[in-house]
Amino acid sequence: MPLPGEDPAKVPVVAPFAEQLLLVTGFEQGPVRNVHVEGLHFEHCSWPLPSGGYAGSQATAHELRNGSPGQFARLKIPAAIQVAKVEDCSVANCRISPLGTTGIEFGSRTQRCRLEDCVVEDVAGNGVNLGEGASRRVAGQPWWSAAPQQASSHHVVARN
């Protein structure tokens, strides 16, 4: 809706469609290494509210109701920049704003990643997420129990 006195034909409109803007994902056999993003502006992501609503808790996690009583899945609001199964990657001198999602996530099985000298603001979720939840399984066990060496670690988040 235009503000009083605004001409709708002259008001710029942004209608985000994509939930994510950059995905960097390695493989089960090995990580992606040495991807470096610098000086870009990431903006305008959308995250539609789940049909069952949003029952949020910490770290922008929410319960997705699948229709069966007592059946829930814990998901997180997606990140505009999603990084998983990577090592020695970086995002530097970037602007991550405005977003209807989380800004950036160094997620599952990430090692030695850097987020430096960036502006992360006006985001609907968290600015930065590090690590992953407990739902992934390795050999039938929670990943953190069966494969603790897969924990995300040694990241640097500085001067943002």
Side-chain angles (χ1 to χ4, degrees):
M1 299 291 296
L3 296 173
E6 284 185 324
D7 179 353
K10 295 180 182 177
V11 175
V13 175
V14 176
F17 177 76
E19 289 184 14
Q20 296 182 295
L21 300 175
L22 177 63
L23 302 160
V24 181
T25 305
F27 303 93
E28 292 301 323
Q29 299 81 6
V32 167
R33 291 187 176 92
N34 298 310
V35 173
H36 305 285
V37 177
E38 187 166 351
L40 297 179
H41 189 164
F42 296 91
E43 60 183 18
H44 303 302
C45 282
S46 173
W47 181 65
L49 202 59
S51 60
Y54 177 81
S57 63
Q58 69 181 17
T60 68
H62 64 280
E63 295 175 352
L64 182 64
R65 290 151 175 83
N66 68 5
S68 302
Q71 298 284 322
F72 300 104
R74 291 207 36 91
L75 304 172
K76 288 189 282 185
I77 293 175
I81 302 170
Q82 177 69 51
V83 180
K85 299 179 210 152
V86 302
E87 294 179 354
D88 305 305
C89 294
S90 68
V91 176
N93 299 305
C94 291
R95 182 171 181 80
I96 304 168
S97 170
L99 303 171
T101 62
T102 285
I104 184 169
E105 179 170 306
F106 292 117
S108 180
R109 293 163 275 184
T110 55
Q111 302 287 319
R112 299 175 305 281
C113 294
R114 303 176 78 82
L115 177 69
E116 297 179 301
D117 302 307
C118 293
V119 173
V120 182
E121 66 181 0
D122 195 14
V123 297
N126 290 335
V128 181
N129 282 345
L130 300 175
E132 66 180 300
S135 61
R136 184 169 59 88
R137 299 283 188 231
V138 172
Q141 300 284 327
W143 71 267
W144 49 267
S145 176
Q149 72 281 6
Q150 293 180 355
S152 295
S153 67
H154 297 91
H155 298 308
V156 172
V157 178
R159 300 176 309 281
N160 296 291

mmCIF file of all heavy atoms in Angstrom, residues 108-132:
data_model
loop_
_atom_site.group_PDB
_atom_site.id
_atom_site.type_symbol
_atom_site.label_atom_id
_atom_site.label_comp_id
_atom_site.label_asym_id
_atom_site.label_seq_id
_atom_site.Cartn_x
_atom_site.Cartn_y
_atom_site.Cartn_z
ATOM 1 N N SER A 108 26.321 -27.788 8.768
ATOM 2 C CA SER A 108 26.798 -29.145 8.968
ATOM 3 C C SER A 108 28.196 -29.375 8.394
ATOM 4 O O SER A 108 28.465 -29.080 7.236
ATOM 5 C CB SER A 108 25.806 -30.117 8.316
ATOM 6 O OG SER A 108 26.221 -31.444 8.469
ATOM 7 N N ARG A 109 29.061 -29.882 9.238
ATOM 8 C CA ARG A 109 30.409 -30.320 8.854
ATOM 9 C C ARG A 109 31.243 -29.226 8.190
ATOM 10 O O ARG A 109 31.914 -29.454 7.195
ATOM 11 C CB ARG A 109 30.317 -31.562 7.969
ATOM 12 C CG ARG A 109 29.781 -32.759 8.757
ATOM 13 C CD ARG A 109 29.296 -33.851 7.864
ATOM 14 N NE ARG A 109 27.915 -33.522 7.499
ATOM 15 C CZ ARG A 109 27.132 -34.282 6.790
ATOM 16 N NH1 ARG A 109 27.576 -35.413 6.319
ATOM 17 N NH2 ARG A 109 25.906 -33.932 6.528
ATOM 18 N N THR A 110 31.190 -28.032 8.755
ATOM 19 C CA THR A 110 32.021 -26.937 8.257
ATOM 20 C C THR A 110 33.213 -26.734 9.186
ATOM 21 O O THR A 110 33.087 -26.857 10.397
ATOM 22 C CB THR A 110 31.217 -25.630 8.139
ATOM 23 O OG1 THR A 110 30.612 -25.326 9.394
ATOM 24 C CG2 THR A 110 30.132 -25.751 7.074
ATOM 25 N N GLN A 111 34.343 -26.415 8.598
ATOM 26 C CA GLN A 111 35.577 -26.235 9.361
ATOM 27 C C GLN A 111 36.315 -24.997 8.858
ATOM 28 O O GLN A 111 36.417 -24.779 7.648
ATOM 29 C CB GLN A 111 36.503 -27.452 9.184
ATOM 30 C CG GLN A 111 35.895 -28.771 9.587
ATOM 31 C CD GLN A 111 35.777 -28.913 11.083
ATOM 32 O OE1 GLN A 111 36.680 -28.537 11.820
ATOM 33 N NE2 GLN A 111 34.675 -29.446 11.543
ATOM 34 N N ARG A 112 36.835 -24.221 9.790
ATOM 35 C CA ARG A 112 37.733 -23.102 9.483
ATOM 36 C C ARG A 112 37.156 -22.121 8.456
ATOM 37 O O ARG A 112 37.838 -21.697 7.527
ATOM 38 C CB ARG A 112 39.099 -23.619 9.020
ATOM 39 C CG ARG A 112 39.827 -24.474 10.061
ATOM 40 C CD ARG A 112 41.104 -25.068 9.529
ATOM 41 N NE ARG A 112 40.918 -25.842 8.313
ATOM 42 C CZ ARG A 112 40.452 -27.085 8.258
ATOM 43 N NH1 ARG A 112 40.125 -27.725 9.375
ATOM 44 N NH2 ARG A 112 40.319 -27.703 7.102
ATOM 45 N N CYS A 113 35.910 -21.726 8.628
ATOM 46 C CA CYS A 113 35.289 -20.728 7.749
ATOM 47 C C CYS A 113 35.368 -19.362 8.420
ATOM 48 O O CYS A 113 35.481 -19.261 9.636
ATOM 49 C CB CYS A 113 33.839 -21.103 7.458
ATOM 50 S SG CYS A 113 33.695 -22.623 6.499
ATOM 51 N N ARG A 114 35.280 -18.306 7.602
ATOM 52 C CA ARG A 114 35.431 -16.949 8.111
ATOM 53 C C ARG A 114 34.303 -16.064 7.584
ATOM 54 O O ARG A 114 33.976 -16.115 6.409
ATOM 55 C CB ARG A 114 36.777 -16.378 7.680
ATOM 56 C CG ARG A 114 37.955 -17.224 8.119
ATOM 57 C CD ARG A 114 39.286 -16.691 7.607
ATOM 58 N NE ARG A 114 39.746 -15.558 8.388
ATOM 59 C CZ ARG A 114 40.381 -15.661 9.547
ATOM 60 N NH1 ARG A 114 40.629 -16.835 10.077
ATOM 61 N NH2 ARG A 114 40.777 -14.583 10.187
ATOM 62 N N LEU A 115 33.761 -15.247 8.482
ATOM 63 C CA LEU A 115 32.829 -14.174 8.131
ATOM 64 C C LEU A 115 33.451 -12.908 8.690
ATOM 65 O O LEU A 115 33.506 -12.733 9.907
ATOM 66 C CB LEU A 115 31.444 -14.407 8.738
ATOM 67 C CG LEU A 115 30.429 -13.302 8.469
ATOM 68 C CD1 LEU A 115 30.045 -13.271 6.996
ATOM 69 C CD2 LEU A 115 29.195 -13.489 9.339
ATOM 70 N N GLU A 116 33.949 -12.039 7.815
ATOM 71 C CA GLU A 116 34.710 -10.882 8.278
ATOM 72 C C GLU A 116 34.315 -9.613 7.533
ATOM 73 O O GLU A 116 34.077 -9.635 6.328
ATOM 74 C CB GLU A 116 36.205 -11.122 8.080
ATOM 75 C CG GLU A 116 36.723 -12.293 8.892
ATOM 76 C CD GLU A 116 38.202 -12.548 8.673
ATOM 77 O OE1 GLU A 116 38.602 -12.796 7.520
ATOM 78 O OE2 GLU A 116 38.950 -12.489 9.668
ATOM 79 N N ASP A 117 34.252 -8.532 8.287
ATOM 80 C CA ASP A 117 34.050 -7.187 7.736
ATOM 81 C C ASP A 117 32.763 -7.078 6.913
ATOM 82 O O ASP A 117 32.727 -6.398 5.892
ATOM 83 C CB ASP A 117 35.270 -6.771 6.893
ATOM 84 C CG ASP A 117 36.544 -6.797 7.702
ATOM 85 O OD1 ASP A 117 36.566 -6.158 8.775
ATOM 86 O OD2 ASP A 117 37.512 -7.472 7.294
ATOM 87 N N CYS A 118 31.713 -7.747 7.362
ATOM 88 C CA CYS A 118 30.425 -7.714 6.677
ATOM 89 C C CYS A 118 29.408 -6.924 7.497
ATOM 90 O O CYS A 118 29.542 -6.789 8.707
ATOM 91 C CB CYS A 118 29.888 -9.130 6.460
ATOM 92 S SG CYS A 118 30.864 -10.114 5.307
ATOM 93 N N VAL A 119 28.382 -6.436 6.828
ATOM 94 C CA VAL A 119 27.225 -5.844 7.499
ATOM 95 C C VAL A 119 26.093 -6.843 7.349
ATOM 96 O O VAL A 119 25.737 -7.235 6.235
ATOM 97 C CB VAL A 119 26.831 -4.490 6.870
ATOM 98 C CG1 VAL A 119 25.530 -3.985 7.461
ATOM 99 C CG2 VAL A 119 27.940 -3.479 7.071
ATOM 100 N N VAL A 120 25.561 -7.300 8.481
ATOM 101 C CA VAL A 120 24.419 -8.211 8.496
ATOM 102 C C VAL A 120 23.342 -7.505 9.308
ATOM 103 O O VAL A 120 23.481 -7.336 10.519
ATOM 104 C CB VAL A 120 24.780 -9.570 9.140
ATOM 105 C CG1 VAL A 120 23.584 -10.510 9.101
ATOM 106 C CG2 VAL A 120 25.984 -10.196 8.450
ATOM 107 N N GLU A 121 22.272 -7.046 8.635
ATOM 108 C CA GLU A 121 21.222 -6.318 9.349
ATOM 109 C C GLU A 121 19.889 -6.468 8.634
ATOM 110 O O GLU A 121 19.832 -6.890 7.485
ATOM 111 C CB GLU A 121 21.589 -4.841 9.493
ATOM 112 C CG GLU A 121 21.652 -4.088 8.188
ATOM 113 C CD GLU A 121 22.041 -2.631 8.355
ATOM 114 O OE1 GLU A 121 22.268 -2.181 9.491
ATOM 115 O OE2 GLU A 121 22.120 -1.940 7.334
ATOM 116 N N ASP A 122 18.847 -6.130 9.364
ATOM 117 C CA ASP A 122 17.491 -6.168 8.837
ATOM 118 C C ASP A 122 17.160 -7.552 8.279
ATOM 119 O O ASP A 122 16.753 -7.708 7.138
ATOM 120 C CB ASP A 122 17.302 -5.082 7.765
ATOM 121 C CG ASP A 122 15.838 -4.842 7.441
ATOM 122 O OD1 ASP A 122 14.965 -5.304 8.206
ATOM 123 O OD2 ASP A 122 15.563 -4.210 6.405
ATOM 124 N N VAL A 123 17.396 -8.573 9.117
ATOM 125 C CA VAL A 123 17.098 -9.957 8.746
ATOM 126 C C VAL A 123 15.980 -10.480 9.646
ATOM 127 O O VAL A 123 15.875 -10.087 10.810
ATOM 128 C CB VAL A 123 18.349 -10.866 8.830
ATOM 129 C CG1 VAL A 123 19.412 -10.420 7.843
ATOM 130 C CG2 VAL A 123 18.913 -10.915 10.225
ATOM 131 N N ALA A 124 15.152 -11.362 9.103
ATOM 132 C CA ALA A 124 14.012 -11.873 9.860
ATOM 133 C C ALA A 124 14.406 -12.986 10.825
ATOM 134 O O ALA A 124 13.752 -13.192 11.836
ATOM 135 C CB ALA A 124 12.932 -12.385 8.898
ATOM 136 N N GLY A 125 15.480 -13.699 10.518
ATOM 137 C CA GLY A 125 15.949 -14.768 11.392
ATOM 138 C C GLY A 125 17.172 -14.308 12.156
ATOM 139 O O GLY A 125 17.296 -13.141 12.524
ATOM 140 N N ASN A 126 18.105 -15.209 12.376
ATOM 141 C CA ASN A 126 19.366 -14.850 13.007
ATOM 142 C C ASN A 126 20.274 -14.182 11.988
ATOM 143 O O ASN A 126 20.155 -14.422 10.788
ATOM 144 C CB ASN A 126 20.076 -16.103 13.543
ATOM 145 C CG ASN A 126 19.368 -16.699 14.730
ATOM 146 O OD1 ASN A 126 18.651 -16.018 15.444
ATOM 147 N ND2 ASN A 126 19.562 -17.987 14.946
ATOM 148 N N GLY A 127 21.216 -13.405 12.458
ATOM 149 C CA GLY A 127 22.222 -12.851 11.562
ATOM 150 C C GLY A 127 23.169 -13.934 11.093
ATOM 151 O O GLY A 127 23.443 -14.083 9.904
ATOM 152 N N VAL A 128 23.685 -14.737 12.056
ATOM 153 C CA VAL A 128 24.677 -15.773 11.765
ATOM 154 C C VAL A 128 24.320 -17.026 12.561
ATOM 155 O O VAL A 128 24.080 -16.944 13.765
ATOM 156 C CB VAL A 128 26.099 -15.316 12.167
ATOM 157 C CG1 VAL A 128 27.124 -16.386 11.844
ATOM 158 C CG2 VAL A 128 26.456 -13.995 11.493
ATOM 159 N N ASN A 129 24.305 -18.172 11.893
ATOM 160 C CA ASN A 129 24.160 -19.465 12.565
ATOM 161 C C ASN A 129 25.440 -20.258 12.347
ATOM 162 O O ASN A 129 25.968 -20.297 11.226
ATOM 163 C CB ASN A 129 22.998 -20.282 11.986
ATOM 164 C CG ASN A 129 21.648 -19.832 12.474
ATOM 165 O OD1 ASN A 129 21.537 -19.093 13.442
ATOM 166 N ND2 ASN A 129 20.606 -20.268 11.792
ATOM 167 N N LEU A 130 25.922 -20.901 13.405
ATOM 168 C CA LEU A 130 27.089 -21.775 13.320
ATOM 169 C C LEU A 130 26.702 -23.161 13.802
ATOM 170 O O LEU A 130 26.082 -23.302 14.853
ATOM 171 C CB LEU A 130 28.239 -21.253 14.188
ATOM 172 C CG LEU A 130 28.770 -19.867 13.861
ATOM 173 C CD1 LEU A 130 29.809 -19.450 14.894
ATOM 174 C CD2 LEU A 130 29.360 -19.828 12.472
ATOM 175 N N GLY A 131 27.066 -24.188 13.050
ATOM 176 C CA GLY A 131 26.796 -25.564 13.451
ATOM 177 C C GLY A 131 25.458 -26.074 12.970
ATOM 178 O O GLY A 131 24.846 -25.494 12.079
ATOM 179 N N GLU A 132 25.018 -27.175 13.562
ATOM 180 C CA GLU A 132 23.767 -27.809 13.152
ATOM 181 C C GLU A 132 23.041 -28.371 14.359
ATOM 182 O O GLU A 132 23.608 -28.486 15.443
ATOM 183 C CB GLU A 132 24.021 -28.921 12.139
ATOM 184 C CG GLU A 132 24.788 -30.109 12.710
ATOM 185 C CD GLU A 132 25.028 -31.200 11.696
ATOM 186 O OE1 GLU A 132 24.053 -31.762 11.155
ATOM 187 O OE2 GLU A 132 26.210 -31.498 11.442
#
